[in-house]
Amino acid sequence: QVQLVESGGGLVQPGESLRLSCAASGRTYAMAWFRQAPGKEREFAAAITWSTRSTYYASSVTGRFTISRDNAKNTAYLQMNSLKPEDTATYYCAASGVRSSRLPNDYDYWGQGTQVTVSS
């Protein structure tokens, strides 16, 4: 029912910033960002709910990443500051019509991913 399109990935040096966008085709209860590095499992990064805009972050990104959403545009954003080489991964936008979660399997809709590479 919901299609997601990510954008904003790219190549940056350590310490620099990127802003990812995720445009959804319809309203969602929660939107989230996950990331997956080569050879590793997909891991939770951040999530935000529709009405209260409650936010949740993985400990690995707390203090550096900020998730937000524009409900009128059905769009979520991930502002990534102080990027580190270990942040290098494919970043996936996810959406749920039921609840927020830190588990990938709890999300119903996924974007195709956008690559973020942090390297000197």
Side-chain angles (χ1 to χ4, degrees):
Q1 190 68 40
V2 177
Q3 295 181 351
L4 306 175
V5 179
E6 305 106 327
S7 62
L11 172 64
V12 297
Q13 298 181 41
E16 295 184 343
S17 300
L18 280 175
R19 189 192 192 204
L20 306 183
S21 298
C22 176
S25 62
R27 177 177 174 176
T28 61
Y29 174 80
M31 298 184 73
W33 290 94
F34 290 79
R35 63 187 186 180
Q36 186 168 23
K40 300 182 66 177
E41 295 182 354
R42 189 168 300 187
E43 66 174 4
F44 172 81
I48 186 168
T49 62
W50 170 267
S51 58
T52 65
R53 290 183 173 84
S54 298
T55 58
Y56 309 90
Y57 297 96
S59 60
S60 58
V61 307
T62 296
R64 299 188 299 120
F65 291 11
T66 301
I67 188 171
S68 61
R69 67 186 298 168
D70 184 336
N71 289 352
K73 298 180 179 179
N74 292 321
T75 299
Y77 305 92
L78 185 67
Q79 178 67 45
M80 304 184 294
N81 298 327
S82 301
L83 284 164
K84 305 174 180 179
E86 51 262 46
D87 294 319
T88 296
T90 300
Y91 282 71
Y92 297 92
C93 180
S96 173
V98 180
R99 61 183 180 181
S100 62
S101 174
R102 293 173 179 263
L103 304 176
N105 289 343
D106 286 337
Y107 288 85
D108 304 306
Y109 311 105
W110 292 86
Q112 296 190 65
T114 185
Q115 180 66 38
V116 173
T117 301
V118 185
S119 176
S120 59

